[in-house]
Amino acid sequence: MKHLLALVKFVRVIGCILVAYWDIRTQFPNYSDDQQARYVEVWARGMLAVIGIEVRVKGHPATGPVLMAANHISWLDILVMHAACHCRFVAKAEIRGWPLLGTLTTGGGSLYIERSSNRDALRVVHQMAEALQQGHVLAVFPEGGTGDGITLLPFHANLLQAAISVNAPIQPIALQFIDARTHQVSLAPCYRDDDTLIGSLWRTLCAPPLLAQVRYGDKQTADGRNRREWALELQSTVAALRT
C-alpha cells in the first residue's frame, strides 16, 4: 500500500514538473520579476505538498539586498527555501543540465558555478555582487555539498566575498526535515554522494508525512571580519539555530 501511494504521488510530481516547465518556457517572458517570484513560491509549495512535505517557517526572511546562507541536506532544500521566500540561488553547474529540473531552476533565477574551478568562483562572486547592488535576495549553501542531515560540513568562504565587497548583510538559515508524527529528525530526504535523484525522490515519497523547518536567524554584517572568519561565525550560528 505504501508503495502504491508513493507511485500515485510520483505521477503527480511529474505532472507538476511538466506544467511548470511549460509555464516557464511560454509564460515567464510575459511576467514581471514580482510575478515570477510569486509563481515560483506558489509552485514550490504545491510541489512539496504533493511530495508530502509541509513547510514551517520560524523567524522572518530579510528583504534585499541580502545573501542567505543555509545548511544543505537535499535537492529539496531549494524547493523548501523558495516556498518560504523566493530567492536566487547559487547552484552547482550540473543542475542546469538536469532534464526538466534544470529549466525550472534556471527559471527561478539561479546563478551557476563550476565548484571545481577557482576562476569560475571569481566570475560568480562578481555576478553576485552586482545582483546584491541591485537589491536582490541571493542564497548559497556554504557547505558546498549535502551533509547527512545531522552534522554540518565546514562552511566554505569564497562566495561570502560578494557580501563583503558590497557591504551587504548575510542572513543565516537552518533547515531541517522532521517526521510529522514523531517530531524526530528524518533522514529520508537526505541526498548523499551515492544517491540518484530518482532514488532520493522515491525514498522521500515512501516516507511518512514530513515537516520542512526553515528557521531564519538575524542578519549579520561583516564588521571588519574577513570571509573565513565570517564563515566560521555563520556555521556556528546555523548550528545553534538547528537546535
Side-chain angles (χ1 to χ4, degrees), residues 55-68:
V55 178
R56 296 279 181 89
V57 176
K58 297 188 177 183
H60 302 283
T63 56
V66 66
L67 177 61
M68 295 178 168

Side-chain angles (χ1 to χ4, degrees), residues 26-241:
T26 61
Q27 302 299 320
F28 256 42
N30 303 319
Y31 290 170
S32 67
D33 290 345
D34 285 344
Q35 288 174 323
Q36 289 183 3
R38 298 294 82 75
Y39 179 95
V40 171
E41 287 182 9
V42 172
W43 180 80
R45 286 195 292 268
M47 179 74 156
L48 290 168
V50 169
I51 294 173
I53 299 175
E54 178 186 349
V55 178
R56 296 279 181 89
V57 176
K58 297 188 177 183
H60 302 283
T63 56
V66 66
L67 177 61
M68 295 178 168
N71 60 299
H72 202 10
I73 302 169
S74 169
W75 57 273
L76 287 163
D77 297 342
I78 293 178
L79 286 178
V80 168
M81 289 181 64
H82 272 322
C85 174
H86 178 262
C87 50
R88 297 182 65 191
F89 281 93
V90 179
K92 58 184 181 180
E94 50 262 42
I95 290 179
R96 181 165 43 190
W98 286 2
L100 300 180
L101 291 179
T103 299
L104 301 183
T105 307
T106 301
S110 292
L111 304 173
Y112 294 103
I113 180 173
E114 295 284 353
R115 292 193 179 275
S116 59
S117 170
N118 290 331
R119 183 175 181 178
D120 200 53
L122 291 174
R123 175 189 64 81
V124 173
V125 166
H126 180 69
Q127 288 186 339
M128 292 171 62
E130 288 183 341
L132 288 170
Q133 286 179 315
Q134 294 167 8
H136 288 234
V137 178
L138 302 182
V140 296
F141 298 115
E143 290 173 286
T146 50
D148 60 7
I150 302 297
T151 57
L152 295 182
L153 299 173
F155 276 26
H156 297 285
N158 288 350
L159 297 181
L160 306 185
Q161 184 61 45
I164 294 175
S165 297
V166 297
N167 196 30
I170 295 180
Q171 183 171 36
I173 300 173
L175 304 177
Q176 282 186 308
F177 291 95
I178 299 170
D179 188 306
R181 296 171 183 168
T182 66
H183 295 284
Q184 300 298 311
V185 172
S186 173
L187 302 182
C190 294
Y191 186 72
R192 302 178 180 87
D193 291 338
D194 56 348
D195 274 334
T196 64
L197 181 60
I198 293 298
S200 173
L201 173 59
W202 183 253
R203 185 174 62 244
T204 305
L205 294 175
C206 292
L210 298 172
L211 302 176
Q213 181 171 282
V214 185
R215 188 186 295 255
Y216 292 99
D218 295 329
K219 291 190 299 183
Q220 301 180 7
T221 53
D223 295 332
R225 290 175 290 189
N226 62 41
R227 65 193 186 196
R228 291 180 178 82
E229 293 169 337
W230 205 357
L232 289 173
E233 174 64 23
L234 288 167
Q235 181 178 352
S236 176
T237 302
V238 170
L241 288 170

